[in-house]
């Protein structure tokens, strides 16, 4: 058992100290504001790399037709579409009605429900797979969310998480320069929302590194949690199995 704080981000909104409820509300505001330009900004900020990352994430999951899956923090539905293309029975869950609305327009056939990771509207042991892509760092009560994901998974079910992580030290300075300067500037230019994009970068920098996040997943009761890096650790995929 590690003594790591299960909610390391609960009192922070980027670089600012805030009460957990205020963080939750501010994050809701961020995604309400960025939803109309979210997909375009993702392509610009990452030079489109989020697309092969997402394809690699889903390709590594050995999805079989009929697999009962939820894409949590599913936003505009990129992961759900990739899962559905492989025959999964997938539902998108996200608290932002604005993000869900964009996804519903793009993929009307995929069910989408407004809910938070901390309170999932699914029965115990009812899902084979829960995916989360660039979502976990926005969750205020991470420990509660990980336990809740464990509750809804069947025994042997998997939690797969794609998230920004801690890059190799050799590329860290260049990466930090790009993310701290170019991304808020792009956010201002394309979406007119510089503060929202500054939050996104600060939340990336404060997110636990690969090993610490794997420890938090295990602390939430998962039997194992392995990870692999993408693009020298700029992002990482963690996959955990419920005992
Ligand atoms: C960066 S977007 C990721 C969207 C999509 N998964 C992707 O990879 O493009 C983060 C998403 O997390 C959602 N989110 C914020 N707080 C959440 C919570 N407590 N539980 C679940 N999702 C949350 C936001 O509404 C937003 O849609």
């Amino acid at each position: 058992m590690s003594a790591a704080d299960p909610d390391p981000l609960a009192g922070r909104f980027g670089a600012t100290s805030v009460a957990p409820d205020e963080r939750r509300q501010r994050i809701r505001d961020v995604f309400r504001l960025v939803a109309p330009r979210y997909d375009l900004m993702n392509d610009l900020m990452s030079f489109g790399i989020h697309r092969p990352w997402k394809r690699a994430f889903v390709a590594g999951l050995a999805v079989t037709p009929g697999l009962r899956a939820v894409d949590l923090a599913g936003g505009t539905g990129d992961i759900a579409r990739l899962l559905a293309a492989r025959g999964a029975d997938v539902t998108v869950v996200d608290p932002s009605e604005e993000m869900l609305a964009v996804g519903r327009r793009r993929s009307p056939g995929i069910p989408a429900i407004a809910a938070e990771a901390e309170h999932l509207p699914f029965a115990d042991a009812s899902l084979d797979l829960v995916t989360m892509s660039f979502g976990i760092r926005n969750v205020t009560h991470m420990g509660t969310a990980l336990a809740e994901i464990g509750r809804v998974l069947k025994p042997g079910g998997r939690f797969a998480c794609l998230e920004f992580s801690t890059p190799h030290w050799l590329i860290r300075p260049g990466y930090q320069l790009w993310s701290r300067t170019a991304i808020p500037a792009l956010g201002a230019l394309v979406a007119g929302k510089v503060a929202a994009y500054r939050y996104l970068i600060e939340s990336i920098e404060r997110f636990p590194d690969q090993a610490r996040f794997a420890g938090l997943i295990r602390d939430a009761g998962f039997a194992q949690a392995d990870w692999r890096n993408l693009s020298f650790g700029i992002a990482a995929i963690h996959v955990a199995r419920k005992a």
Side-chain angles (χ1 to χ4, degrees):
M1 196 60 189
S2 98
D5 177 2
D7 296 335
L9 304 178
R12 315 284 311 182
F13 180 77
T16 315
S17 288
V18 291
D21 274 354
E22 186 178 345
R23 178 185 200 262
R24 200 172 143 255
Q25 188 52 51
R26 285 197 190 190
I27 288 172
R28 198 66 71 78
D29 293 343
V30 165
F31 288 102
R32 181 170 46 77
L33 291 172
V34 305
R37 293 286 174 99
Y38 175 80
D39 293 316
L40 172 64
M41 277 299 293
N42 258 358
D43 282 332
L44 293 176
M45 288 182 332
S46 74
F47 300 111
I49 288 172
H50 75 106
R51 291 180 185 279
W53 283 349
K54 287 173 176 168
R55 283 197 296 271
F57 176 55
V58 173
L61 293 176
V63 173
T64 46
L67 193 87
R68 180 101 170 79
V70 159
D71 183 40
L72 194 48
T76 57
D78 280 358
I79 300 297
R81 273 185 291 281
L82 291 167
L83 290 169
R86 288 167 183 264
D89 169 11
V90 60
T91 300
V92 174
V93 173
D94 194 292
S96 169
E97 284 290 359
E98 294 79 7
M99 294 286 281
L100 291 175
V102 176
R104 285 188 188 115
R105 274 197 298 278
R106 287 176 63 191
S107 314
I110 297 181
I113 299 175
E116 288 181 312
E118 293 95 325
H119 313 280
L120 292 175
F122 301 102
D124 294 358
S126 56
L127 303 175
D128 300 300
L129 175 68
V130 173
T131 53
M132 212 165 177
S133 154
F134 305 113
I136 190 77
R137 73 178 191 284
N138 300 297
V139 169
T140 295
H141 300 290
M142 205 191 297
T144 308
L146 291 171
E148 186 67 347
I149 292 165
R151 179 185 70 75
V152 298
L153 281 172
K154 297 175 185 171
R158 288 169 298 161
F159 168 51
C161 185
L162 168 62
E163 188 50 90
F164 289 106
S165 200
T166 302
H168 191 280
W169 64 270
L170 267 176
I171 66 160
R172 223 172 285 164
Y175 173 68
Q176 275 180 350
L177 186 68
W178 162 256
S179 59
R180 286 179 188 174
T181 54
I183 291 180
L186 274 171
L189 202 68
V190 181
K193 314 288 180 228
V194 66
Y197 282 91
R198 191 164 291 133
Y199 155 72
L200 293 180
I201 298 314
E202 287 162 353
S203 68
I204 291 169
E205 292 185 359
R206 287 174 189 279
F207 191 72
D209 68 18
Q210 289 83 336
R212 267 182 65 215
F213 182 49
L216 292 178
I217 296 174
R218 281 192 295 269
D219 288 351
F222 284 85
Q224 81 193 66
D226 301 320
W227 77 85
R228 76 181 171 100
N229 285 331
L230 298 172
S231 305
F232 305 100
I234 290 176
I237 294 171
H238 285 73
V239 180
R241 198 172 278 280
K242 179 171 170 179

